[in-house]
Amino acid sequence: MTSRTPATGYVEDVSPGRGTLPPRAWYASSDAASLSLNGGWRLRVSPTADAEDDAFAEPGFDAGSWAEVTVPGHWVLQGHGAPVYTNHLYPFPVDPPRVPAENPTGDHLRVFDLPGDWPDGGDTVLRLDGVESCARVWLNGTDIGEFKGSRLPHEFAVGHLLKPSGNVLAVRVHQWSAGSYLEDQDQWWLPGIFRDVTLLHRPPGAAGDFFVHASYDHVTGAGTLRVDSGVPGRVTVPELGIDTGTGEAVTLPVEPWTAETPRLYDGVLATAGERVPVRVGFRTVVVEDGLIKVNGTPLLFKGVNRHEWHPRTGRALDLDTMREDVLLMKRHNLNAVRTSHYPPHPAFLRLCDEYGLWVIDECDLETHGFVEQDWRDNPVDDDRWTPALLDRAARMVERDKNHPSVVMWSLGNEAGTGRGLTAMAEWIHGRDPSRPVHYEGDIGCRDTDVYSRMYPPHEEVERIGRGLDGGTHRRRGLPLILCEYAHAMGNGPGGLTEYQELFERYDRLQGGFVWEWIDHGVEHPELGFAYGGDFGEELHDANFVCDGLLLPDRTPSPGLREYKKVIEPVRIEAGDAAGTVRITNRYDFADLSGLEFVFSHQVDGIPTGAHRLTVPALAPGESAEVKLPGAPDGRGEEVQWTVQVLLAEDTPWAGQGHEVAWGQGTVAPRAPLPAAAGVRPAVDGDRIALGPAEFDARTGAVRSLSGVPVKDLRLDVWRATTDNDDGASWQTDTRYGPLWRESGLHRMRHRLDAVETDGDALTVRTRVAPAGRETGLRTVYRWTSDGTRVRLTVSVVPEGDWRMPLPRLGIRFGLAGTPEDAVFWYGGGNEAYPDTRAASRDLLWDASVGELQTPYVRPQENGAHADVRWAEVGGLRVDGDPEFWFTVRPWTTEHLDAARHRTDLVPGDTVWVHLDHRLHGIGSQSCGPGPLPRYHLWPEPVEFSFVFSQPRD
Ligand code: IPT
């Protein structure tokens, strides 16, 4: 027997690769030639790593019959094979570093000519910015090496192999490799050459690698610039009059860079061989006195975790999409991004420098699946893998070190603990002492400079804020950030306001990063957006991949608008003295001079005139009380004040007039509703008339109100459970979604006990309860009328041993209608639930029924509006006593509950109207804690009323 090492042995080799150049700074030279090799490539996908020999790499190979794909791209999103989604489970047997025999392998071919003016001399480098997960590369038939580390650049020296024309670049990409064990992030597995491929001419005397050190001394106001470069050269920054040698420090007065004031100075590094534009931002990051400070000032991160995602191209993003992300973040008051869980496309960091976002740059490392075996054999605790880990750390730090926006390095995510991580941290600290190191899994903070947690409940965050959490001596002296919190899966996240209050109350709490930026739904012709399982995966985690603040097409979700309000940089509250507002500057660095304040009074939801409010240019943290103009005479109407904070001038990220913050308060409350009584019910055969209402005499069911036919009006306690109701399987706290279903709250029965016409009321007595349980809700509907209006008072008394809160408590009924029908209401605007209502602003609103549906990728409860005084829908007006939660749908809750994808929802000819007295909170239990106890809807005796009438003109 003879054995032979397969030619594909490198696939399962723990080493990072062979033949690549040392990592270096990523930059675009202004004069050295380059050639993009993006575009159409030939592709052949084989089922295993070694199904095909390497003859395809030879010049002259005829790939005419191969498919065409676009590079950058993933072949599984271009019609060849399918994506696979798992959260933390490896989608193959765990036997490191071995991978399955079924290893889809994409042979990519590209033939290219050099441009006619391609310079002679020097060298040329081939750079691949991202290939998942392992690639072997040939140029003109010569094997130049192979590499792993999907979201990191890899370069080869290829000058000696290039010809003026007919160059053949062959890249064999394996979906699975030893590297896959290090890339177990919660996302789709998407093989391919998904970032740019570029040929870079390197003239003699080219800069190669360089390190821009630009610090800021907040005491003196001076910046110090020193550019270290392997190849000597001159550094010029004309605006500052800097003209100095590499390796030499210059100190002079500058304006510092911050995420709020992203002051960049354009400079040039000129070596003998090339000129390289450098964008210098002066800032100094330290952890001192237990706080993360930039330029001497403690930061508050208002952040988000960003995976790279596009619903058609996966992790292959174009510049416009990256810019759209940054603009959306800035416009929603975000100031920070954690690049979960790998370094992003380098252009994204350039945008962060330019527009201003604090960045935690995270290494391409996660070994989460090892948790299933109590972290046994975890590569980060196995010395054989350490070179691969160090390679990843170096590729990230070297590539991204010149970005002022990067204020922290992160070792990776969910990789347990081990010597390899320590080695990475040591290497990073040595190479770049100017930035703190982050890693959430280092619970004692042995290797890290900040204490970081994921998804802790509020009370635990508060304990940490008060320094009562214990922990190692080192940890006790460090600030806390929540690298992930508030899981934005489906409807939610709830509880943001209360987290923010804690962050603002305790210095040690320096904010956090909501999980996550965008739903990773895959555009799909039949399903709308596909999620895990939709491609027939053997193992998958369903729609856990859709947990973003943006829907997959980048439509902001209500959760993003909520977050924007919660983290607004200016707080507007009622002042202590009557007729005043308190205005607080919550920026860390900026004053309020770029903002204008517009004030108006609202009478019954209608703004009356707008005035400019003069507000002092408060420094960060300062507040002032400002007097408001006199209120109009309400004459029984409700009067509110509203202050909007707008950009006074155009900024790079939003135009003049863009709203950054707002506040609202009450001047005169709403007048009580009339009793609407006096007329007596009249029984007439099988019907009862009561003013403009008609009822079934036997059942007491309402048939019409003000001439509008009404279907199935009754008490409703059910909602199509949200992802946060259902909760994550590993949660140890009660998960109410499953409990509600188990208890039959979705199949309540309505027993009729009596229909009474006494005096001026029609009273319908019922008991609402699920089969198989003793618990129930005694429910009495009491109808009265004054001849034009009809008042319904619902009283509910719980019976039995209720051990759970209710999803909702209100009534629902059907009206003839379609999604196009207009709805008007006075009350809150944004979708809101008890713990997601910060962005709910009172106004007179109108929308169509269809527009009021939030199209969460997995359909679920959505679309409630808070504090609604009255609403008009389907030819009926409803006034609430008290205010109610208002929801309309072109389908029933039962349909919504059964739907798995958007396209399962088909409108009928009925619009279902929900008027809720109370709702259960939303929370974050799809990964974190449930709603705070104060947002639980515990059954208790309640009474609430609605007055129905004809719409007003
Ligand atoms: C946490 C992961 O870090 C993140 O990648 C994502 O999977 C998130 O959960 C859920 O969407 S890890 C979890 C065990 C808290």
Side-chain angles (χ1 to χ4, degrees):
M1 280 265 304
T2 54
S3 71
R4 85 188 166 91
T5 310
T8 54
Y10 61 92
V11 172
E12 297 182 324
D13 180 344
V14 298
S15 91
R18 169 186 60 91
T20 54
L21 292 167
R24 64 182 181 119
W26 197 103
Y27 64 85
S29 178
S30 35
D31 45 15
S34 71
L35 176 66
S36 168
L37 298 176
N38 293 349
W41 288 53
R42 290 288 183 176
L43 172 77
R44 170 184 66 192
V45 181
S46 339
T48 65
D50 57 0
E52 298 284 351
D53 60 24
D54 49 16
F56 81 103
E58 291 299 327
F61 180 87
D62 179 8
S65 62
W66 289 20
E68 274 234 14
V69 280
T70 301
V71 168
H74 307 277
W75 71 74
V76 293
L77 296 181
Q78 298 186 57
H80 309 278
V84 172
Y85 167 57
T86 58
N87 167 15
H88 76 281
L89 293 178
Y90 289 102
F92 47 76
V94 179
D95 182 22
R98 304 293 311 277
V99 296
E102 299 90 344
N103 189 358
T105 291
D107 289 332
H108 293 69
L109 260 191
R110 165 87 194 233
V111 179
F112 64 92
D113 300 335
L114 290 179
D117 57 356
W118 194 261
D120 294 330
D123 199 354
T124 294
V125 160
L126 170 69
R127 183 175 67 204
L128 295 112
D129 281 309
V131 182
E132 180 170 328
S133 80
C134 170
R136 183 165 188 185
V137 189
W138 295 262
L139 183 61
N140 293 331
T142 302
D143 171 8
I144 57 174
E146 76 317 282
F147 62 85
K148 307 179 190 86
S150 298
R151 296 105 202 174
L152 294 163
H154 299 272
E155 290 182 323
F156 297 94
V158 296
H160 59 294
L161 298 172
L162 285 170
K163 322 183 277 192
S165 63
N167 293 287
V168 178
L169 178 58
V171 185
R172 172 165 282 177
V173 182
H174 306 284
Q175 170 151 24
W176 309 120
S177 69
S180 305
Y181 283 97
L182 305 180
E183 297 174 4
D184 191 24
Q185 293 96 344
D186 175 9
Q187 59 180 348
W188 295 97
W189 298 89
L190 295 176
I193 305 175
F194 71 97
R195 286 187 190 156
D196 311 281
V197 182
T198 319
L199 217 48
L200 302 158
H201 182 248
R202 303 287 64 221
D209 189 25
F210 61 91
F211 199 159
V212 177
H213 302 276
S215 59
Y216 181 74
D217 181 336
H218 65 279
V219 178
T220 62
T224 298
L225 176 66
R226 191 187 82 234
V227 179
D228 291 337
S229 168
V231 174
R234 285 210 77 74
V235 178
T236 49
V237 183
E239 198 184 343
L240 292 171
I242 293 176
D243 182 350
T244 185
T246 52
E248 287 164 21
V250 196
T251 299
L252 73 182
V254 297
E255 292 172 43
W257 188 96
T258 74
E260 293 168 11
T261 54
R263 181 68 161 98
L264 291 173
Y265 293 92
D266 283 314
V268 174
L269 164 64
T271 61
E274 68 178 331
R275 293 166 55 80
V276 179
V278 288
R279 306 201 81 186
V280 182
F282 293 89
R283 92 276 175 286
T284 292
V285 190
V286 292
V287 177
E288 73 180 10
D289 312 323
L291 296 172
I292 307 160
K293 296 180 187 172
V294 173
N295 306 335
T297 300
L299 296 185
L300 191 56
F301 290 115
K302 301 167 177 178
V304 71
N305 282 279
R306 175 180 179 270
H307 268 289
E308 293 181 311
W309 187 248
H310 186 283
R312 279 191 295 278
T313 58
R315 287 189 287 276
L317 297 196
D318 59 14
L319 188 60
D320 284 344
T321 303
M322 294 185 240
R323 190 184 306 273
E324 194 179 344
D325 278 351
V326 170
L327 294 178
L328 281 166
M329 288 178 189
K330 292 292 289 184
R331 290 174 187 160
H332 288 87
N333 293 334
L334 292 161
N335 71 3
V337 194
R338 172 178 178 230
T339 70
S340 56
H341 300 301
Y342 40 82
H345 189 290
F348 179 75
L349 297 177
R350 285 212 306 263
L351 295 167
C352 293
D353 294 342
E354 185 180 326
Y355 291 96
L357 287 165
W358 309 116
V359 176
I360 298 184
D361 195 357
E362 189 151 275
C363 198
D364 190 3
L365 174 63
E366 173 158 345
T367 62
H368 206 163
F370 286 87
V371 71
E372 293 291 314
Q373 55 201 56
D374 295 327
W375 297 105
R376 253 186 333 277
D377 300 326
N378 185 0
V380 308
D381 201 24
D382 177 337
D383 293 338
R384 286 171 298 180
W385 291 82
T386 303
L389 303 181
L390 291 174
D391 181 72
R392 285 168 189 251
R395 285 186 190 281
M396 168 179 72
V397 171
E398 301 299 1
R399 192 194 77 166
D400 296 341
K401 59 186 180 279
N402 293 329
H403 290 284
S405 56
V406 175
V407 290
M408 237 185 267
W409 301 115
S410 176
L411 303 181
N413 183 59
E414 290 283 6
T417 53
R419 302 190 293 281
L421 289 164
T422 303
M424 290 171 81
E426 278 171 2
W427 184 88
I428 294 174
H429 278 129
R431 175 65 177 139
D432 180 18
S434 78
R435 291 177 175 100
V437 169
H438 166 272
Y439 175 62
E440 183 266 351
D442 181 11
I443 200 75
C445 301
R446 189 180 57 162
D447 300 324
T448 53
D449 303 302
V450 296
Y451 177 32
S452 176
R453 292 294 311 277
M454 291 184 177
Y455 308 101
H458 297 82
E459 41 110 0
E460 187 184 345
V461 174
E462 170 141 38
R463 240 183 6 255
I464 299 171
R466 294 156 65 109
L468 301 175
D469 57 308
T472 58
H473 181 75
R474 174 164 167 79
R475 187 177 97 185
R476 293 203 299 274
L478 296 179
L480 176 85
I481 62 168
L482 302 186
C483 68
E484 294 177 27
Y485 79 113
H487 199 245
M489 187 177 181
N491 186 335
L496 285 170
T497 299
E498 294 79 7
Y499 279 113
Q500 198 63 27
E501 279 167 11
L502 293 170
F503 299 158
E504 290 174 10
R505 187 166 328 132
Y506 298 101
D507 291 345
R508 188 186 183 195
L509 309 180
Q510 293 197 267
F513 297 77
V514 165
W515 186 268
E516 66 174 307
W517 177 237
I518 184 168
D519 288 341
H520 312 206
V522 178
E523 200 175 273
H524 190 286
E526 282 93 46
L527 302 174
F529 291 104
Y531 50 79
D534 290 335
F535 298 100
E537 299 103 297
E538 174 180 61
L539 268 186
H540 67 82
D541 288 286
N543 64 315
F544 203 62
V545 78
C546 292
D547 51 2
L549 294 170
L550 297 180
L551 302 176
D553 62 2
R554 288 191 157 66
T555 305
S557 73
L560 181 57
R561 292 192 287 271
E562 173 81 1
Y563 195 29
K564 173 183 179 176
K565 173 73 174 119
V566 167
I567 58 177
E568 60 191 357
V570 184
R571 177 101 359 117
I572 314 279
E573 301 151 309
D576 291 336
T580 67
V581 287
R582 174 184 304 283
I583 296 178
T584 307
N585 178 356
R586 301 223 64 102
Y587 284 112
D588 292 325
F589 298 91
D591 66 22
L592 301 185
S593 55
L595 302 173
E596 63 180 16
F597 294 73
V598 177
F599 163 85
S600 63
H601 274 119
Q602 257 175 219
V603 179
D604 278 349
I606 301 168
T608 59
H611 313 263
R612 191 71 47 82
L613 214 58
T614 307
V615 174
L618 301 169
E622 282 183 356
S623 57
E625 270 196 23
V626 176
K627 199 160 165 35
L628 297 177
D633 174 12
R635 291 189 308 263
E637 293 141 320
E638 180 172 4
V639 181
Q640 292 171 300
W641 58 262
T642 304
V643 174
Q644 289 175 277
V645 185
L646 312 175
L647 289 180
E649 274 158 26
D650 289 348
T651 67
W653 48 270
Q656 180 192 9
H658 165 84
E659 185 181 274
V660 300
W662 59 273
Q664 199 168 54
T666 300
V667 178
R670 187 164 70 123
L673 286 187
V679 171
R680 301 173 77 90
V683 184
D684 172 14
D686 67 348
R687 63 186 276 274
I688 300 174
L690 177 66
E694 198 186 300
F695 301 82
D696 183 307
R698 196 179 52 81
T699 62
V702 63
R703 285 180 179 165
S704 66
L705 291 165
S706 302
V708 176
V710 173
K711 217 189 312 194
D712 291 341
L713 185 151
R714 60 194 199 180
L715 189 81
D716 192 13
V717 296
W718 183 242
R719 72 184 183 197
T721 54
T722 65
D723 295 315
N724 283 316
D725 290 337
D726 292 338
S729 53
W730 67 81
Q731 299 283 1
T732 49
D733 289 355
T734 309
R735 294 185 287 134
Y736 287 120
L739 188 59
W740 288 336
R741 215 175 281 275
E742 198 186 302
S743 311
L745 297 192
H746 61 312
R747 49 176 169 76
M748 299 292 267
R749 296 294 163 154
H750 297 250
R751 185 182 76 202
L752 179 62
D753 290 339
V755 179
E756 298 163 359
T757 49
D758 295 336
D760 69 353
L762 166 66
T763 305
V764 181
R765 299 186 187 280
T766 68
R767 186 172 189 275
V768 182
R773 305 276 163 170
E774 54 139 10
T775 42
L777 302 165
R778 283 246 169 236
T779 304
V780 178
Y781 308 86
R782 186 168 187 277
W783 298 88
T784 58
S785 174
D786 60 4
T788 33
R789 287 173 294 204
V790 184
R791 185 179 176 103
L792 166 64
T793 298
V794 183
S795 46
V796 180
V797 177
E799 292 181 341
D801 186 11
W802 279 97
R803 302 243 172 129
M804 71 199 86
L806 299 170
R808 64 170 2 107
L809 186 65
I811 59 166
R812 91 157 181 196
F813 53 89
L815 300 174
T818 72
E820 288 73 46
D821 289 355
V823 183
F824 302 88
W825 75 100
Y826 169 32
N830 196 30
E831 173 179 295
Y833 289 80
D835 56 347
T836 61
R837 55 180 297 166
S840 175
R841 182 191 324 200
D842 289 338
L843 204 66
L844 202 56
W845 300 94
D846 69 270
S848 69
V849 171
E851 284 164 353
L852 288 173
Q853 314 309 306
T854 306
Y856 293 117
V857 173
R858 186 190 73 82
Q860 54 196 276
E861 165 68 28
N862 71 86
H865 289 81
D867 298 324
V868 176
R869 281 67 155 178
W870 60 260
E872 287 178 8
V873 52
L876 208 57
R877 173 176 166 121
V878 191
D879 285 73
D881 186 7
E883 291 78 8
F884 57 97
W885 298 88
F886 177 55
T887 309
V888 289
R889 308 184 204 288
W891 35 70
T892 60
T893 298
E894 289 71 19
H895 276 122
L896 188 62
D897 203 14
R900 291 291 162 262
H901 294 90
R902 288 178 181 187
T903 46
D904 295 335
L905 289 168
V906 182
D909 54 7
T910 303
V911 167
W912 292 93
V913 181
H914 293 259
L915 311 177
D916 288 303
H917 179 56
R918 292 186 60 197
L919 295 173
H920 186 67
I922 295 293
S924 204
Q925 214 181 3
S926 55
C927 192
L932 286 166
R934 75 189 87 149
Y935 301 119
H936 288 205
L937 199 186
W938 285 101
E940 60 180 7
V942 288
E943 193 171 280
F944 49 94
S945 303
F946 305 104
V947 175
F948 298 94
S949 59
Q950 277 181 344
R952 315 239 174 108
D953 294 325

